[in-house]
Structure formats: C-alpha cells, structure tokens
Amino acid sequence: LAKTTQPISMDSYEGQEVNITCSHNNIATNDYITWYQQFPSQGPRFIIQGYKTKVTNEVASLFIPADRKSSTLSLPRVSLSDTAVYYCLVAGNMLTFGGGTRLMVKP
Amino acid sequence: DAGVIQSPRHEVTEMGQEVTLRCKPISGHDYLFWYRQTMMRGLELLIYFNNNVPIDDSGMPEDRFSAKMPNASFSTLKIQPSEPRDSAVYFCASTPFERGTDTQYFGPGTRLTVL
C-alpha cells in the first residue's frame, strides 16, 4: 500500500511559485500520481497527473524523479484564488490520498 | 453533462436512524467511488464499483455501512444504524476507464451530521 506524506500547510504570496512535495516511498510499478485541488464545500478537482519525469499543463507542472518515490506539484505565479487544499493521490491497485496540504496565498 | 450528482447535500439525523446517500455518476463512466472526509482522517476511500459490481469494499468501516449500485446511473450508501462518529462529508466520484489512472470527477458531497 503506497502511503503518501505531504506537508500539512504552506503559505505563499501572490505572484510567487509554489512547490508542494508528496512522498510515496512504496509506490508500485503501475501506480500513477495525480494531484487534486479542493475548495471549501466542494469535491476535489483534478489538476494534473503523471507517471515519470515532467508533465505540464495550463495550470501546473508535475515533477517526478527517476525513483518515483516523491513528486512535486509546481504552481506558477499563484493568486489568491489558489488558496485551497491540495491532495496527492497514488493510484494503481489501491487508491491512497495523502493528508492534503493547505495552501494559503496572501496578498 | 451535469457532472456527478449527489443527494441530499445536507443531512441531519439522530443517532440510531438509517441514512441513505445517493449518487448519480457521469453517464458512460464505468467506475464509481464512495469517499468519506473528516478533519481527523482526511479523505478515505470506502468502496468502489466497476460496471455496477463492487470491487473493493475494504474501506467500509463496519457492517453498519453498505453500498449498492443497481444500475449504471445510480448508487446508494446506507448507514444503519447511524452514530455520531459517522458525521462527515461523503463524496461520490466517477471515472470513465482505468481506475485511478483516469481523472476522477467528484460530486459536491453530502454533509452528514448525526446527533
């Protein structure tokens, strides 16, 4: 079972780049890594997914080292509306959400 | 598409009562998941279905919890009898193909309060 570990919270300021790292030491060969964003009173929403190396979309980048035991979600130039909880999900044979990282973006 | 639909959005009940939560997945999605979210335990997978068949219910906390999916467009999560520690937000999610590798689409959740 691939347990994931994330920082509980992070603070940032508008316009800065934010990097949130998730540790998943027991990741299995067929596990993908997915990140979700959750606002209060809403369900989690997909941000990005990857298997190895680097993935980039219009909202974020995901960096996965060769050993795949961790992954880093990178949010470029955050704004106040990026204040949310970010979850790392390792999926394959089992679905394991991390505890979530509460990101607070300050003006 | 309206997305994943859950009802009710809020439920307040008394200990010992039966509670039924409902979910309508996105049409065409083969997988359906039920999650529970609390401050203490975060987001926990309770059970998931593939083509209406329960595949893994190892996350269901105890026998008081049961889930069914009688057809591709409807699922229920039932708690009988309910207890105060069942108070949480329950999410339903669906995904089209490969479990876990495809994006999960979450519903808005049902906030359950058991007094």
Side-chain angles (χ1 to χ4, degrees):
Chain A
L1 182 61
K3 179 181 178 181
T4 60
T5 304
Q6 304 174 231
I8 294 175
S9 64
M10 295 181 69
D11 288 344
S12 183
Y13 291 92
E14 281 190 293
Q16 289 188 334
E17 177 184 76
V18 171
N19 296 308
I20 306 173
T21 297
C22 179
S23 172
H24 29 79
N25 291 322
N26 297 323
I27 189 169
T29 302
N30 61 340
D31 284 343
Y32 280 74
I33 301 154
T34 312
W35 285 80
Y36 287 82
Q37 175 191 56
Q38 186 178 26
F39 296 112
S41 302
Q42 295 184 23
R45 184 178 69 174
F46 173 87
I47 301 176
I48 196 167
Q49 183 182 75
Y51 183 79
K52 61 181 179 180
T53 63
K54 176 183 175 182
V55 179
T56 298
N57 62 22
E58 63 277 9
V59 298
S61 294
L62 178 60
F63 299 91
I64 305 170
D67 66 6
R68 302 198 331 118
K69 293 185 177 183
S70 66
S71 59
T72 299
L73 173 72
S74 181
L75 304 173
R77 298 180 298 280
V78 294
S79 64
L80 296 177
S81 61
D82 293 317
T83 294
V85 179
Y86 292 83
Y87 289 95
C88 164
L89 170 65
V90 175
N93 292 322
M94 295 291 293
L95 285 171
T96 310
F97 272 88
T101 298
R102 189 173 299 275
L103 173 65
M104 173 67 72
V105 180
K106 303 175 183 178
Chain B
D1 200 314
V4 175
I5 299 173
Q6 292 187 245
S7 64
R9 292 294 310 276
H10 302 273
E11 176 81 26
V12 181
T13 190
E14 292 187 345
M15 182 174 62
Q17 296 298 308
E18 177 181 292
V19 174
T20 299
L21 311 181
R22 297 172 176 80
C23 175
K24 176 179 169 54
I26 293 173
S27 177
H29 283 193
D30 295 331
Y31 289 88
L32 182 141
F33 309 83
W34 281 100
Y35 290 89
R36 178 173 67 176
Q37 186 172 42
T38 61
M39 289 293 292
M40 292 296 296
R41 301 177 67 86
L43 198 58
E44 305 173 277
L45 176 65
L46 300 178
I47 185 172
Y48 77 92
F49 296 82
N50 178 22
N51 290 322
N52 314 334
V53 177
I55 303 300
D56 185 354
D57 64 354
S58 59
M60 297 285 263
E62 46 197 281
D63 292 343
R64 297 184 297 106
F65 286 69
S66 63
K68 295 181 180 179
M69 192 165 185
N71 57 62
S73 60
F74 184 66
S75 177
T76 61
L77 178 68
K78 185 175 293 185
I79 308 172
Q80 167 63 22
S82 59
E83 297 183 3
R85 60 193 168 117
D86 301 330
S87 297
V89 180
Y90 291 81
F91 288 105
C92 175
S94 69
T95 192
F97 298 112
E98 290 295 323
R99 187 192 67 75
T101 60
D102 266 335
T103 301
Q104 292 185 59
Y105 296 84
F106 282 78
T110 295
R111 181 173 296 276
L112 173 65
T113 302
V114 183
L115 303 174

